Amino acid sequence: MLYKTSIEQSLILSGEKDRFKELLRTRLTECGWRDQIQMLCRQIVKERGVQNITADELIGEVTAKGRALVPDAVKKELLQKIKAHFSQDM
Amino acid sequence: MSEHGCIHLSNFKAAKGTQPYKVIYAYFVACTSTEARKRKAFSCYCYICRCLGPRLHSCLHCIFFGCFVSGHIQEHAKSKKHFLAVELTYGMVMCFQCGDYIYDRELTDIANERDAKASKALGLPISYRSWEPSANEIELLRLHPRRRRVIENSTIGLRGLINLGNTCFMNCIVQALTHTPLLRDFFLADKHQCQFRDQPGSCLVCEVSRLFQEFYSGNKAPLILHRLLHMIWTHAHHLAGYEQQDAHEFFIATLNVLHRHCKGSSAHTHSSPEHCNCIIDQIFTGGLQSDVVCQACNGVSTTIDPFWDISLDLATDIPTSSSESNDSGQKSSESSQKSNEQEPTSLIDCLTRFTRPEHLGSSAKIKCSNCQSYQESTKQLTMKKLPVVASFHLKRFKHSSRFHKISTYVAFPEHLDMTPFMSHYRNMNNGHCGNTFNLLPDNRYSLFAVINHLGTLDGGHYTAFIRQQQNHWFKCDDHLITKANIQEVLDSEGYLLFYHKQFLEYE
């Protein structure tokens, strides 16, 4: 737990966490994941009605599906980039 | 989810302003300074369970961080009656009295401005933001309630073009232009502002804009391009008449006239093509870097020229390859260089040859700006800036002693990565390696149009393959449009190849 925290802190300090996030965001937009999730959310909101759903409930409904929809290539690229970052740093 | 904030947030803003939100956002959501990053790294964790997230919230009333997933921020809100909290990943405000996140125009504007600053501080491009209609656009949508939905196998945008007597050279280029994704988006969004309002009917851009409306109107009858042809005749005299013309020449002439008409009459006063920001330049203009290295002192003189397309040699006995707008660099070649190499068999071959260093020979000595003497030198062309649409012209028509056509098959890919032909890439290979974090730029392209020439030089015919809706291909032969597949396209004898950049960066 402590180790995980210090890794996370070093990533925040260097700004690298924001870079990784931006990379992930770009890839998810490129591959259409963002649009898929948007469609999914829109469908759920339409079914229930805007007034009868909270952001938290929506997150609860799409999270599992959203995770499953992330392409393996995106996960692989990010993992490889993070690994490369740390092997270069230490 | 409330659209217009809530009474609790309004009351809070009335009492304390937006400063608390600004501070939290600048330090814990989007950091712009090292100081802020330090604070975020070391003092931003759940005060109850010490975790760093996920979904960590900061109390908007006091200094308290709590995670949402384990309910610690909720406990704090309840016990202290601090009902507003900021979510620290996206900076959304949660109102525990309303039980949901709240949209607030003023806070959203602060967040957007901060995000842009933070990206800039890290040298990252501006991140994607989904489109939101402006007040004007909302009004237009309200006034025109009819919507057309483009379904998977829709044929919208496909229209045949009547041949007006040897005008297939024009038809095929019009097919390629009307299926250029970014150009289509520009015209269908009605973005063109005419510079010739006092002379109706004289602006070629307006005519092209009208053509886009015709193409995407849903009507399937073939179109007659007599107005376009007439305008080209009046603006590009060398193409006037009923003879056969070269499609490539027509393409360049059309871009030229469109570019001129975009700028309007003001263009005649200051003629610097590099500082133009018209749609033609935004889509088609790239920058070609030419490095001339003096063989005596190794001094490099670099020039960058704009280009609209790359002309590539197919024959081996002329090692020169010059781009359209770069005629200044016509190289006289040494005969020693010819026989020991193979004819290029693919687009990649051609591009590799185009961008390799080339010895200019003893008959073409150039005055070196470094050592001030006439010396032999080498010259290398590389891509400094890539256009959104990369157009390649395979020089199949050769005019040496007599005109003839080179009909060899040249392979070209559906997806093309231009990275190996970039200036910075070549420089990197010469010296040290670049950084490992290569998020951008992305130089991948995909094919969207191919123009073919059938027959011989004096009796030929042009047809075009165009891509419609991601991955459907069609063959356009004047008024006839037939379904094609990618393999037919790739097997064809390409003359002009059009590639579109896959990912566009935000500016």
Side-chain angles (χ1 to χ4, degrees):
Chain A
M1 192 62 194
L2 203 67
Y3 185 62
K4 194 186 157 204
T5 305
S6 70
I7 284 182
E8 185 126 12
Q9 282 171 337
S10 85
L11 281 175
I12 294 172
L13 271 181
S14 62
E16 219 61 21
K17 187 173 174 178
D18 290 327
R19 289 206 180 87
F20 283 128
K21 255 200 231 169
E22 185 56 38
L23 173 71
L24 179 60
R25 209 171 296 175
T26 309
R27 291 291 181 260
L28 290 178
T29 307
E30 280 174 10
C31 70
W33 182 86
R34 207 192 139 94
D35 293 334
Q36 279 176 295
I37 297 301
Q38 201 169 18
M39 292 297 280
L40 205 62
C41 291
R42 191 174 287 183
Q43 203 186 332
I44 294 169
V45 171
K46 239 184 187 168
E47 275 169 19
R48 295 247 220 123
V50 195
Q51 302 306 329
N52 306 323
I53 191 165
T54 66
D56 202 46
E57 289 164 356
L58 193 57
I59 293 169
E61 287 216 26
V62 297
T63 303
K65 255 187 195 161
R67 288 218 173 103
L69 284 172
V70 176
D72 283 344
V74 174
K75 292 185 202 168
K76 228 185 237 170
E77 185 188 359
L78 205 72
L79 186 66
Q80 185 242 324
K81 287 253 159 74
I82 294 172
K83 271 186 185 160
H85 170 72
F86 281 110
S87 62
Q88 184 191 28
D89 236 33
M90 285 165 184
Chain B
M1 259 180 275
S2 170
E3 229 181 307
H4 305 290
C6 68
I7 181 73
H8 315 105
L9 181 61
S10 302
N11 288 344
F12 178 84
K13 282 205 297 185
K16 300 195 179 164
T18 53
Q19 197 55 27
Y21 181 77
K22 271 188 195 160
V23 171
I24 291 172
Y25 205 94
Y27 277 93
F28 305 114
V29 182
C31 310
T32 42
S33 64
T34 325
E35 166 65 20
R37 260 191 279 282
K38 239 182 227 164
R39 294 248 182 148
K40 181 171 177 161
F42 295 115
S43 35
C44 188
Y45 50 83
C46 176
Y47 280 14
I48 309 293
C49 67
R50 307 189 69 82
C51 71
L52 295 169
R55 292 185 71 194
L56 201 61
H57 286 59
S58 166
C59 179
L60 198 57
H61 305 260
C62 72
I63 298 176
F64 179 88
F65 298 108
C67 62
F68 188 93
V69 179
S70 311
H72 296 140
I73 187 70
Q74 292 94 317
E75 281 168 24
H76 172 81
K78 221 172 181 181
S79 62
K80 295 272 167 135
K81 300 212 177 340
H82 290 172
F83 291 116
L84 295 168
V86 182
E87 194 276 332
L88 293 178
T89 312
Y90 298 97
M92 294 298 290
V93 175
M94 165 63 99
C95 173
F96 286 109
Q97 273 167 300
C98 298
D100 205 352
Y101 292 93
I102 303 299
Y103 287 111
D104 181 90
R105 176 49 59 191
E106 196 182 351
L107 298 188
T108 309
D109 289 343
I110 294 171
N112 287 348
E113 185 197 328
R114 287 272 148 202
D115 282 342
K117 269 192 192 154
S119 305
K120 210 174 165 194
L122 288 170
L124 290 171
I126 295 164
S127 42
Y128 170 82
R129 224 169 250 130
S130 46
W131 174 76
E132 280 176 37
S134 65
N136 189 15
E137 285 160 336
I138 290 173
E139 185 60 21
L140 278 170
L141 287 168
R142 212 179 51 77
L143 285 174
H144 303 274
R146 208 178 130 233
R147 305 275 178 273
R148 194 181 293 136
R149 206 191 171 88
V150 178
I151 49 165
E152 175 61 26
N153 50 8
S154 153
T155 53
I156 190 162
L158 294 174
R159 284 192 83 166
L161 298 168
I162 299 285
N163 194 324
L164 302 167
N166 288 333
T167 58
C168 51
F169 68 91
M170 171 174 74
N171 290 352
C172 67
I173 294 295
V174 167
Q175 292 289 4
L177 287 177
T178 45
H179 291 90
T180 302
L182 213 59
L183 201 63
R184 177 199 61 205
D185 294 351
F186 174 84
F187 282 112
L188 292 187
D190 204 17
K191 297 267 193 200
H192 169 57
Q193 288 179 345
C194 184
Q195 305 291 324
F196 298 89
R197 289 191 191 281
D198 44 335
Q199 303 154 257
S202 64
C203 176
L204 185 68
V205 195
C206 287
E207 177 60 19
V208 171
S209 188
R210 201 185 61 80
L211 273 180
F212 269 96
Q213 297 293 337
E214 290 280 4
F215 263 86
Y216 291 89
S217 67
N219 189 339
K220 286 185 179 135
L223 278 168
I224 303 168
L225 300 179
H226 60 284
R227 260 157 72 178
L228 180 77
L229 184 67
H230 184 252
M231 286 177 93
I232 292 292
W233 282 3
T234 40
H235 293 290
H237 298 295
H238 60 290
L239 293 176
Y242 285 101
E243 293 90 63
Q244 296 186 19
Q245 299 288 350
D246 180 21
H248 173 248
E249 213 171 305
F250 177 81
F251 172 62
I252 294 299
T254 306
L255 286 192
N256 236 318
V257 178
L258 285 174
H259 168 72
R260 251 166 36 213
H261 285 189
C262 276
K263 292 198 293 183
S265 44
S266 61
H268 301 299
T269 46
H270 49 92
S271 57
S272 56
E274 306 98 278
H275 300 299
C276 178
N277 202 31
C278 74
I279 188 65
I280 299 299
D281 268 301
Q282 279 182 40
I283 295 178
F284 294 97
T285 305
L288 192 65
Q289 176 170 330
S290 150
D291 293 307
V292 176
V293 183
C294 168
Q295 293 299 282
C297 71
N298 279 327
V300 184
S301 76
T302 300
T303 50
I304 292 162
D305 292 300
F307 68 89
W308 275 341
D309 74 325
I310 301 286
S311 290
L312 298 162
D313 271 311
L314 296 184
T316 46
D317 50 5
I318 317 166
T320 55
S321 25
S322 63
S323 87
E324 201 49 43
S325 46
N326 189 35
D327 330 301
S328 56
Q330 283 299 335
K331 292 154 279 187
S332 60
S333 54
E334 290 283 280
S335 54
S336 62
Q337 213 176 350
K338 63 175 181 189
S339 53
N340 57 353
E341 65 181 354
Q342 303 237 307
E343 279 189 8
T345 55
S346 69
L347 178 66
I348 305 293
D349 275 358
C350 293
L351 283 167
T352 308
R353 267 165 42 128
F354 184 76
T355 54
R356 73 181 168 194
E358 179 195 330
H359 193 70
L360 291 183
S362 52
S363 58
K365 286 184 177 172
I366 291 176
K367 187 175 178 186
C368 170
S369 57
N370 193 38
C371 62
Q372 300 297 327
S373 61
Y374 284 87
Q375 295 294 342
E376 283 187 30
S377 42
T378 61
K379 173 172 176 160
Q380 182 173 23
L381 298 172
T382 47
M383 306 286 159
K384 179 70 181 174
K385 180 187 164 285
L386 290 169
V388 173
V389 168
S391 330
F392 300 106
H393 166 218
L394 302 178
K395 289 170 144 178
R396 294 198 175 274
F397 302 114
K398 198 164 153 286
H399 13 163
S400 50
S401 48
R402 61 186 179 89
F403 276 95
H404 73 276
K405 183 182 167 188
I406 302 168
S407 293
T408 47
Y409 171 69
V410 176
F412 49 91
E414 185 182 2
H415 300 289
L416 173 69
D417 189 349
M418 288 292 284
T419 308
F421 314 110
M422 297 293 289
S423 308
H424 69 87
Y425 180 85
R426 289 293 161 96
N427 293 344
M428 230 156 67
N429 280 11
N430 294 345
H432 32 251
C433 205
N435 62 351
T436 48
F437 209 98
N438 245 337
L439 167 50
L440 295 160
D442 188 305
N443 304 313
R444 285 174 292 171
Y445 284 76
S446 54
L447 189 70
F448 73 92
V450 174
I451 307 247
N452 306 101
H453 181 265
L454 316 157
T456 60
L457 206 83
D458 22 62
H461 182 54
Y462 284 110
T463 58
F465 283 110
I466 49 114
R467 187 185 70 186
Q468 190 240 17
Q469 284 208 35
Q470 296 294 330
N471 49 8
H472 297 292
W473 284 88
F474 290 90
K475 183 178 186 175
C476 306
D477 182 351
D478 288 332
H479 61 283
L480 294 173
I481 295 192
T482 46
K483 207 163 168 36
N485 61 50
I486 182 67
Q487 206 46 52
E488 284 173 63
V489 179
L490 297 181
D491 288 342
S492 73
E493 185 191 302
Y495 175 47
L496 301 177
L497 312 172
F498 296 93
Y499 285 85
H500 202 283
K501 203 150 190 294
Q502 283 183 358
F503 303 114
L504 305 175
E505 280 114 52
Y506 289 84
E507 286 178 351

